[in-house]
Amino acid sequence: MTPTPPTSSASATDDDLLRLAIEVAREAGAFVVDARRSGVEVADRKSSPVDVVTQVDRDSEALIRARLAEARPLDGFFGEEGGRGASESGLTWVVDPIDGTVNFLYGIPHYAISIAVVEGEPDPQSWEAVAGVVLNPVTGELFTARRGGGARMNDRPIAIADAVPLSETLIGTGFAYSAQTRAEQGAAIAQLLPLVRDLRRMGTASLDLCAVAAGRANAYFERTLSPWDHAAGALIAREAGAVVKGLGDRRPDREFVLAAHPETVGELEQLLVDVGA
Ligand code: LIP
């Protein structure tokens, strides 16, 4: 791959940044799929015995960080596997080098390289997302967006599904790595399930947000996510017409991420609060 020449934030357009994110996501995706074929083992456990990281996660993040630094040495970096670098350009890359690590570990072909570039501090409560890429390297489905530019999958425009009553809503969700939190989430799900069409627990937050963007689900919610889980997928879902928010007036955060149609997001949020989701 011919590395993109270094640029400053002043010269790079949003489209330049998006192109770089796509280029790097594709290279990391090819690396990850190839590494999977060689076999994958758990390298460490993080917040709980089931919150695992593989060496491929770490190597993917190192590759992504190196390529971005080659092209844009003044930008900041905020990665899941510990990569942190302060920004001198005002831009920071927010990266999940393998989102859906458990799916990757088990060989379930539903995981993603998630790369977003944001303006301002790397804080979801204040940053402005500039461009985002979510690539499923197994299926080749490449979800992309830049601010104000709409959302695309494999370069074709995508949009959220039409609004439907909550009782006909297909909702993506996920669960925490903490056993106690999962018990609470399971109790909430038991109340929610009879009130909606159905649930989908696919295991990869970034792809769950892209499913809403592509109309493959009506909504998605999850608690305990990290900024790198939703940074790119939230921009893609918003650009596809969804509201993506936290609780009340908050932006998406560790406490809550909800993506839904503008006409139903308020009613759904209240239902989720009522059942303790
Ligand atoms: C995962 C998310 C998923 C969530 C998992 C985990 P990771 O991210 O994509 O939605 O349910 O608990 O947080 O850890 O694979 O990068």
Side-chain angles (χ1 to χ4, degrees), residues 62-216:
L63 184 158
I64 292 167
R65 187 171 189 182
R67 293 290 181 273
L68 293 172
E70 284 165 22
R72 295 189 52 81
L74 300 181
D75 290 358
F77 188 85
F78 185 34
E80 174 173 18
E81 304 315 335
R84 295 289 186 278
S87 175
E88 296 175 48
S89 66
L91 297 176
T92 297
W93 295 88
V94 185
V95 172
D96 193 334
I98 301 177
D99 186 26
T101 294
V102 173
N103 285 353
F104 174 71
L105 180 66
Y106 280 75
I108 298 170
H110 191 82
Y111 48 88
I113 312 295
S114 180
I115 299 176
V117 57
V118 301
E119 265 178 357
E121 290 301 310
D123 176 352
Q125 294 310 307
S126 61
W127 74 37
E128 178 173 355
V130 174
V133 169
V134 174
L135 168 67
N136 180 332
V138 183
T139 66
E141 288 189 330
L142 176 70
F143 297 89
T144 62
R146 62 162 176 77
R147 58 184 165 186
R152 307 174 82 85
M153 183 187 77
N154 294 352
D155 212 22
R156 291 190 301 273
I158 54 175
I160 60 173
D162 292 340
V164 294
L166 288 190
S167 60
E168 297 173 24
T169 298
L170 184 64
I171 306 177
T173 192
F175 306 116
Y177 286 122
S178 145
Q180 180 184 337
T181 306
R182 293 158 74 84
E184 295 162 7
Q185 291 174 315
I189 292 296
Q191 293 184 69
L192 179 67
L193 193 53
L195 303 176
V196 298
R197 177 188 292 274
D198 205 345
L199 300 177
R200 291 289 183 271
R201 199 295 193 241
M202 305 290 280
T204 303
S206 57
L207 289 174
D208 287 329
L209 285 160
C210 291
V212 174
R216 296 175 176 173

Side-chain angles (χ1 to χ4, degrees), residues 20-99:
L20 175 59
I22 291 170
E23 183 182 296
V24 174
R26 283 185 166 142
E27 184 179 355
F31 165 76
V32 164
V33 167
D34 186 55
R36 183 74 194 67
R37 292 193 192 100
S38 310
V40 176
E41 293 180 359
V42 173
D44 203 352
R45 299 166 196 279
K46 300 190 280 191
S47 64
S48 82
V50 295
D51 182 3
V52 297
V53 60
T54 73
Q55 189 55 45
V56 185
D57 290 83
R58 293 170 173 168
D59 293 345
S60 175
E61 181 165 304
L63 184 158
I64 292 167
R65 187 171 189 182
R67 293 290 181 273
L68 293 172
E70 284 165 22
R72 295 189 52 81
L74 300 181
D75 290 358
F77 188 85
F78 185 34
E80 174 173 18
E81 304 315 335
R84 295 289 186 278
S87 175
E88 296 175 48
S89 66
L91 297 176
T92 297
W93 295 88
V94 185
V95 172
D96 193 334
I98 301 177
D99 186 26

Side-chain angles (χ1 to χ4, degrees), residues 238-258:
R238 273 199 198 97
E239 286 295 327
V243 169
V244 186
K245 66 191 301 292
L247 280 177
D249 295 332
R250 290 183 64 80
R251 293 186 180 189
D253 57 14
R254 189 163 188 78
E255 185 184 3
F256 205 73
V257 175
L258 172 61

